[in-house]
């Protein structure tokens, strides 16, 4: 059930990317898609009544391994969030450059290919 | 219980993203996307991932600053949304077909609450959980995965960040262009 809600969030982002004319709205649609994908990966690694994969003093390791949630998707998503920030900065830079050249954010107005 | 709470939070995220995409004013749209990120941070906390929740909060603030830089002091921030009817219908048909296929694919996933690494004893996550403290000396298993077992991934992440900032600087600079015009 939660997976479907997460996928609906992804589809809203897809709608923003394909149907919007404003460059900033397209960037926001990509950003929403990234949220949903990160959330989906973390949801896949959740164990029922799981605890965070951080050892406390005096914990039994075998018992801890029976209870902790999956640490591998968490590490990968941590990487993915930071990469998303870099990609966002690059996209915003391109949007600012397009605004300087054409004076608008509307993608249907950007017809001149000549630099 | 936790499924209901996460479902409610995800519904709020969906409402927030629809508001963000449908408002006319760009500044309101950007401010409307920030709660979506904070709700996802709360969900990360509920799912036992405090590291990601902290990172998500920090990245949210930074992305707000970057996105506001794109829209502040621009004259024309609202655009009339008039797309041709045929294109809109095609897009919705494509999204619907995508949804049908994904419905079929999501049925094959393990149910929520029983992840795949519990079914297989030889999965790498089990090894990280059992031997992480002994082999790397880090009490936080996520840190031991990032910085020790999969250190090359983190190196690649740093490379991508460096490249994207370099690309942003290369796109934004104006000096080389000006010199060419003067000649």
């Amino acid at each position: 059930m939660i997976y479907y809600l997460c996928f609906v969030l992804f589809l809203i982002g897809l709608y923003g990317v394909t149907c919007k004319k404003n460059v900033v709205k397209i960037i926001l649609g990509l950003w929403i898609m990234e949220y949903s994908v990160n959330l989906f990966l973390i949801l896949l690694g959740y164990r029922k009544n799981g605890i965070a994969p951080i050892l406390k003093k005096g914990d039994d390791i075998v018992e801890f391994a029976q209870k902790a949630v999956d640490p591998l998707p968490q590490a990968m998503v941590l990487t993915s969030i930071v990469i998303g920030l870099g990609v966002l900065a690059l996209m915003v830079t391109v949007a600012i450059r397009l605004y300087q050249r054409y004076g608008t954010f509307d993608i249907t107005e950007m017809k001149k290919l000549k630099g | 219980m936790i499924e209901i709470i996460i479902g409610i939070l995800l519904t709020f995220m969906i409402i927030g993203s629809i508001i963000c995409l449908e408002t006319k004013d760009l500044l309101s749209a950007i401010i409307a996307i920030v709660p979506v990120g904070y709700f996802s941070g709360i969900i990360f906390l509920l799912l036992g991932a405090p590291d990601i929740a902290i990172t998500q909060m920090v990245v949210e603030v930074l992305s707000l600053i970057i996105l506001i830089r794109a829209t502040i002091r621009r004259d024309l921030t609202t655009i009339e949304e008039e797309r041709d009817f045929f294109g809109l219908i095609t897009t919705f048909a494509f999204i619907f077909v995508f949804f049908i296929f994904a419905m079929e694919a999501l049925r094959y996933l393990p149910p929520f609450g029983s992840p795949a690494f519990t079914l297989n004893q030889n999965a790498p996550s089990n090894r990280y959980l059992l031997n992480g403290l002994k082999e790397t000396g880090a009490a936080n298993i996520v840190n031991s995965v990032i910085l020790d077992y999969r250190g090359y991934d983190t190196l690649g992440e740093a490379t991508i960040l460096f490249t994207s900032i370099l690309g942003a600087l290369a796109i934004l600079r104006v000096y080389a262009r000006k010199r060419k015009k003067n000649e």
Side-chain angles (χ1 to χ4, degrees), chain B residues 105-142:
Chain B
L106 284 178
R107 285 197 301 133
Y108 291 95
L109 287 175
F112 180 71
S114 59
F117 82 105
T118 54
L119 306 176
N120 184 3
Q121 278 307 311
N122 295 322
S125 299
N126 284 320
R127 187 197 136 96
Y128 297 154
L129 283 174
L130 282 173
N131 302 334
L133 182 63
K134 204 166 49 189
E135 289 181 354
T136 66
N140 191 343
I141 307 295
V142 177

Side-chain angles (χ1 to χ4, degrees), chain A residues 47 49-56 58-71, chain B residues 117 125-133 138-142 144:
Chain A
R47 191 196 291 233
N49 301 320
I51 56 170
I54 300 172
L55 274 163
K56 288 186 285 292
D59 268 359
D60 183 30
I61 290 193
V62 178
E63 191 190 338
F64 167 75
Q66 296 295 324
K67 272 165 44 185
V69 300
D70 200 348
Chain B
F117 82 105
S125 299
N126 284 320
R127 187 197 136 96
Y128 297 154
L129 283 174
L130 282 173
N131 302 334
L133 182 63
N140 191 343
I141 307 295
V142 177
S144 76

Side-chain angles (χ1 to χ4, degrees), chain A residues 1-57 59 61-101 103-109 115, chain B residues 2-4 6-7 10-11 13-14 17-18 20-26 29-30 33-34 36-37 40 43-44 46-52 55-56 59-60 62-63 66-67 69-71 74-83 88 91-92 94-95 98-99 102-103 106-107 109-118 124-126 128-131 133 138-142 145-146 150 153-154 157 160-161 164-165 167-169 171-174 177:
Chain A
M1 183 61 204
I2 293 177
Y3 293 158
Y4 295 124
L5 278 176
C6 212
F7 192 72
V8 168
L9 193 64
F10 182 85
L11 286 182
I12 290 170
L14 194 66
Y15 159 74
V17 171
T18 48
C19 284
K20 291 292 167 188
K21 275 161 73 177
N22 198 324
V23 175
V24 178
K25 288 280 176 69
I26 292 173
I27 291 173
L28 290 179
L30 276 169
W31 196 230
I32 290 169
M33 282 161 86
E34 197 202 308
Y35 282 145
S36 76
V37 171
N38 288 341
L39 200 55
F40 184 67
L41 288 175
I42 296 294
L43 284 172
L44 277 182
Y46 181 70
R47 191 196 291 233
K48 203 123 202 154
N49 301 320
I51 56 170
I54 300 172
L55 274 163
K56 288 186 285 292
K57 207 169 205 174
D59 268 359
I61 290 193
V62 178
E63 191 190 338
F64 167 75
Q66 296 295 324
K67 272 165 44 185
V69 300
D70 200 348
L72 190 55
Q74 293 194 16
M76 296 296 111
V77 167
L78 205 59
T79 312
S80 153
I81 288 175
V82 180
I83 288 175
L85 187 66
V87 173
L88 180 80
L90 194 59
M91 286 192 295
V92 166
T93 316
V94 173
I96 290 172
R97 200 41 141 169
L98 284 174
Y99 188 87
Q100 283 176 358
R101 168 133 311 171
T104 177
F105 278 131
D106 195 340
I107 54 167
T108 52
E109 303 274 321
Chain B
I2 193 165
E3 293 185 34
I4 301 169
I6 292 174
L10 262 171
T11 316
M13 282 176 76
I14 291 171
S17 50
I18 290 175
C20 159
L21 286 177
E22 290 302 327
T23 39
K24 292 268 182 263
D25 189 28
L26 274 189
I30 286 168
I33 202 171
V34 175
V36 182
S40 81
I43 295 177
F44 288 150
L46 287 176
L47 290 176
D51 308 296
I52 305 179
T55 317
Q56 179 76 46
V59 163
E60 204 54 47
L62 285 177
S63 74
I66 293 172
L67 279 169
R69 170 71 181 81
T71 52
R74 298 283 188 272
D75 305 324
L76 186 72
T77 51
T78 55
I79 291 175
E80 290 298 316
E81 300 278 349
E82 289 282 329
R83 226 76 214 256
L88 211 62
T91 313
F92 274 113
F94 168 69
I95 285 178
F98 194 49
F99 186 66
M103 282 294 213
L106 284 178
R107 285 197 301 133
L109 287 175
F112 180 71
S114 59
F117 82 105
T118 54
S125 299
N126 284 320
Y128 297 154
L129 283 174
L130 282 173
N131 302 334
L133 182 63
N140 191 343
I141 307 295
V142 177
V145 172
I146 289 178
R150 295 189 179 228
D153 279 346
T154 311
E157 172 202 344
I160 290 172
L161 266 184
S164 71
I165 299 303
L169 284 179
I171 292 171
L172 270 185
R173 73 179 173 155
V174 286
R177 219 168 274 267

